[in-house]
Amino acid sequence: MRKVNKYRGIHIHVYSENKHLDGRWIYGYLADENYINSPELEGEFLVDKDTVGQYIGIKDKNGNEIYEKDIVLIDGEDEYFVVEWDNDTARFVMNSETLTVSFDNYWGYQVKVTGNMYKNADLLKEAGNE
């Protein structure tokens, strides 16, 4: 059986019957670069392709799924990190202004999701690592 990756993206309002979803995260499987098929909502939904991020397969210490472009805090570190794909090593890493950290060194129980780049970028500005 083939593994299907999970994604999320911010919904873009197109149809009046979906207006209540506008600006909300849609979770599911990537149907196209800007459509996510959501089993939960039983349909395919248009999302802002710039906000699409992949679930990295790890949950944080509070049980929250960690997605690409999430902003996280690591136990023992004093700055925010952004979860990003590293092409050179072909894996997800956590980047701050001064440091790149591998999930091999810090497991989910040492990481806390505090927001994401699309709705909480101000966290990075406040911390001085945008």
Side-chain angles (χ1 to χ4, degrees):
M1 185 171 171
R2 192 180 110 190
K3 179 185 174 201
V4 178
N5 293 324
K6 185 175 180 182
Y7 292 85
R8 73 173 180 197
I10 296 177
H11 182 266
I12 298 174
H13 169 65
V14 176
Y15 300 109
S16 58
E17 62 267 18
N18 292 340
K19 186 176 182 179
H20 66 287
L21 298 174
D22 195 30
R24 283 190 38 207
W25 287 109
I26 302 295
Y27 296 85
Y29 310 101
L30 205 56
D32 192 356
E33 69 177 6
N34 56 351
Y35 281 92
I36 291 181
N37 187 323
S38 172
E40 176 188 348
L41 298 172
E42 300 178 350
E44 193 171 278
F45 297 88
L46 179 65
V47 294
D48 178 350
K49 70 179 181 178
D50 294 332
T51 66
V52 172
Q54 184 176 349
Y55 171 51
I56 69 165
I58 299 173
K59 293 184 179 181
D60 77 354
K61 65 185 189 178
N62 295 324
N64 299 311
E65 293 178 337
I66 302 174
Y67 284 83
E68 183 177 11
K69 298 297 183 184
D70 272 347
I71 298 171
V72 298
L73 283 172
I74 300 172
D75 289 350
E77 298 292 338
D78 294 332
E79 56 190 326
Y80 288 100
F81 291 79
V82 178
V83 177
E84 297 177 314
W85 179 256
D86 181 20
N87 284 325
D88 293 335
T89 60
R91 63 182 173 178
F92 286 102
V93 296
M94 297 172 279
N95 286 320
S96 73
E97 187 174 85
T98 61
L99 190 61
T100 296
V101 178
S102 167
F103 279 95
D104 294 340
N105 298 331
Y106 290 92
W107 299 98
Y109 66 86
Q110 297 171 297
V111 176
K112 178 182 175 188
V113 174
T114 59
N116 60 72
M117 290 293 297
Y118 310 107
K119 294 193 172 195
N120 310 101
D122 56 320
L123 289 173
L124 298 176
K125 290 177 187 172
E126 290 172 15
N129 61 326
E130 60 177 332

